[in-house]
């Protein structure tokens, strides 16, 4: 025998499902875009420890004087269009990232608009490069 959910519970079940889906999306939305970064430009120089070239964003792990930084670049296609690909940098290279650091001072994290490796400049967000 099949049990049926009474129709009076259907709106509650739908609201719960929508609420759970929206709640799961908030952390992802909070990290994407620029809302999580400070308004003042920031420059980081250090040594590349790791590079991830893939979706949703290309990322660098950079060792600087104050610790290990997580650097978000643009989404994959935009970063590749700027010329930053597998051959642009390697572990051990000196890199300068220009962009905006996390609003959370305890996080060693930033979003880069420009990356400079061995004198080669990659503007992954040209319209956001400070002073450009």
């Amino acid at each position: 025998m099949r049990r049926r959910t009474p129709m009076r519970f259907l709106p509650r079940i739908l609201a719960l499902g929508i609420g759970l889906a929206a709640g799961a999306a908030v952390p992802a939305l909070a990290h994407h875009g620029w809302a999580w970064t400070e308004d003042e430009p920031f420059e980081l120089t250090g040594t590349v420890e790791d590079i991830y070239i893939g979706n949703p964003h290309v990322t660098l792990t950079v060792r600087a004087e104050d610790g290990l930084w997580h650097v978000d670049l643009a989404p994959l296609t935009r970063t590749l269009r700027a010329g930053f690909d597998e051959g642009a940098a390697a572990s051990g290279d000196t890199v300068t990232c220009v962009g905006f650091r996390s609003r959370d001072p305890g996080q060693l994290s930033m979003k880069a608009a420009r990356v400079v490796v061995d004198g080669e400049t990659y503007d992954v967000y040209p319209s956001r490069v400070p002073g450009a």
Side-chain angles (χ1 to χ4, degrees), residues 29-42 69-73 98-105 107 109-113 125 128:
L29 290 174
H31 186 72
H32 285 80
W34 297 82
W36 62 276
T37 64
E38 291 182 345
D39 298 327
E40 293 299 313
F42 177 75
W69 282 76
H70 173 85
V71 181
D72 271 350
L73 277 64
V98 180
F100 303 87
R101 74 171 291 160
S102 171
R103 288 185 188 272
D104 180 348
Q107 264 189 348
S109 185
M110 72 173 292
K111 188 156 188 171
Y125 287 106
R128 292 203 176 254

Side-chain angles (χ1 to χ4, degrees), residues 50-60 73-77 79-80 83-89:
D50 190 42
I51 303 170
Y52 169 74
I53 304 225
N55 286 310
H57 295 267
V58 174
T59 61
L60 299 174
L73 277 64
L76 178 61
T77 55
T79 301
L80 293 174
F84 193 95
D85 58 19
E86 291 85 3

